[in-house]
Amino acid sequence: MPLAALMAAASCSPGSEATARPEDPGQERGFALPSWNAGDYDSRQAPAYIRRIAATGARWVQINPTWYQRTTRDDSPHTTGETASDGSVRHIIGLARAAGLKVLLKPHVDLPGAQDRADIRPSDSRHWFAAYTGFIVHYADLARQAHAAELAVGTELAGVSGDRAGWLGVIAAIRRHFDGPLVYAANYDEYSKVAFWDALDLVGIDAYWPLAARPTTDVAALRRSWRPIAERLSGFAARTHRRILFTEAGYVSQRGTTVAPYSWTISRSNGDDEQAAAYEALLETFGRFPWWAGVHWWMWDDWPGSGETPARLAYTPHGKPAEQVVRRWWRR
């Protein structure tokens, strides 16, 4: 979008008629399909997952191979048996493209157990950035070779995302290997502290803002909760001269998910209606804003045998009222 148009759009109040317009066909409408094992992406379930994602009206799928660090202080990530093989990543990208879906390749660096990747603060940052560059350039090459449409340079690395010089080096290396759009996926409480948005093509936010003080299925109330957030994001888009992509957004099918969208285990009570209301409120709130670049819902079905949360309580909307919300918005 031209800068002048973006500034004009961002200057309008999110609740005003001046921003009301049909949903932008250029917005990314996607689902994340993370992998937890080396062979997930070339398993026999993979073609069906891709077909079902496309059937929702999605135009994108997000692919998430993961490397790991043992501790927050380590200075290099590494592959494990839970890292999707390169061959399987190529395979799933091929399936997606054959189904008419564009691919956001969004590699993750994670930690074992309950450790949070946001706490990664390597003891030797220079060594860590060198190792991280090797990791992400590997996927930049794979993205180019497999014709992925977009690449995320990192995800929720709040402990290092303020290091401008380190990330500018990473991004320069990536651009020598991949010429598509680049995004960084900041957590909802991190994005304003990221030091290198000007080097990227999109601002990415994992949009897990709490929306309620108690469980609710009131779509209007959830929209009111989104309003001040949308106003802040509108201003941020204007200041950074970048559109904002929700690189993740999602809600478990548990009562209370609107209170803590980032929690896999907010309760043991079914919350299908609350999940659906949260999907509705997000799409109603943001779908008309020209500075909003779309959403990748976290997440589609887990792979058989890998899910720690039963599907009926998990983030997946598949086979639940939330899937029908998506279909109504994305297939019309």
Side-chain angles (χ1 to χ4, degrees):
M1 173 179 290
L3 176 58
L6 178 61
M7 294 291 284
S11 67
C12 297
S13 168
S16 72
E17 290 301 318
T19 59
R21 65 174 203 162
E23 195 171 16
D24 182 355
Q27 288 171 354
E28 297 185 23
R29 303 176 180 179
F31 280 97
L33 185 59
S35 166
W36 314 119
N37 288 288
D40 282 342
Y41 288 144
D42 54 14
S43 70
R44 62 186 180 85
Q45 289 83 14
Y49 282 12
I50 292 296
R51 287 196 302 271
R52 291 166 187 162
I53 289 170
T56 67
R59 299 193 188 103
W60 288 73
V61 64
Q62 177 185 137
I63 302 302
N64 308 111
T66 303
W67 290 27
Y68 293 84
Q69 292 188 195
R70 286 177 290 275
T71 73
T72 60
R73 303 292 288 169
D74 281 0
D75 55 15
S76 63
H78 57 274
T79 61
T80 73
E82 297 180 353
T83 302
S85 69
D86 288 353
S88 74
V89 173
R90 292 188 184 93
H91 178 70
I92 198 77
I93 292 174
L95 290 177
R97 296 184 70 245
L101 297 172
K102 295 181 179 181
V103 174
L104 166 58
L105 183 58
K106 183 166 161 284
H108 290 176
V109 171
D110 226 329
L111 294 156
Q115 298 181 88
D116 186 348
R117 70 173 73 99
D119 294 328
I120 291 175
R121 289 172 174 79
S123 56
D124 184 337
S125 62
R126 182 176 296 182
H127 191 174
W128 187 88
F129 273 107
Y132 189 89
T133 299
F135 151 76
I136 198 65
V137 164
H138 171 80
Y139 286 107
D141 283 333
L142 196 158
R144 184 189 71 252
Q145 294 160 6
H147 305 290
E150 194 168 272
L151 178 68
V153 305
T155 296
E156 296 177 2
L157 294 168
V160 292
S161 62
D163 189 329
R164 178 173 172 81
W167 283 101
L168 290 182
V170 170
I171 294 164
I174 293 170
R175 291 204 186 274
R176 290 193 290 270
H177 292 257
F178 178 73
D179 61 3
L182 301 181
V183 63
Y184 172 79
N187 201 27
Y188 74 97
D189 58 358
E190 174 200 1
Y191 75 93
S192 63
K193 306 177 188 73
V194 172
F196 50 92
W197 290 127
D198 59 315
L200 299 173
D201 302 292
L202 291 164
V203 168
I205 300 178
D206 291 353
Y208 296 109
W209 278 275
L211 299 175
R214 59 185 61 85
T216 183
T217 60
D218 186 338
V219 174
L222 294 171
R223 288 189 65 191
R224 288 194 294 273
S225 295
W226 273 122
R227 190 173 300 151
I229 298 168
E231 289 175 352
R232 292 195 297 272
L233 295 181
S234 176
F236 195 76
R239 290 192 300 276
T240 58
H241 313 298
R242 299 291 184 274
R243 296 181 80 197
I244 295 174
L245 172 67
F246 285 178
T247 36
E248 293 179 25
Y251 305 89
V252 290
S253 299
Q254 298 171 27
R255 188 173 186 273
T257 189
T258 56
V259 177
Y262 45 78
S263 175
W264 291 74
T265 54
I266 188 68
S267 74
R268 302 299 294 178
S269 300
N270 183 271
D272 282 359
D273 291 343
E274 190 170 353
Q275 181 192 48
Y279 269 63
E280 187 81 47
L282 187 150
L283 291 169
E284 283 188 12
T285 299
F286 291 98
R288 297 174 181 271
F289 296 147
W291 52 261
W292 192 61
V295 60
H296 289 254
W297 293 108
W298 186 272
M299 59 179 207
W300 196 249
D301 277 352
D302 232 330
W303 304 95
S306 65
E308 297 179 2
T309 304
R312 66 182 179 83
L313 297 173
Y315 275 97
T316 177
H318 182 212
K320 303 172 185 176
E323 181 179 358
Q324 297 309 311
V325 171
V326 171
R327 285 172 172 264
R328 178 162 43 82
W329 278 89
W330 286 0
R331 290 177 63 88
R332 65 187 179 185

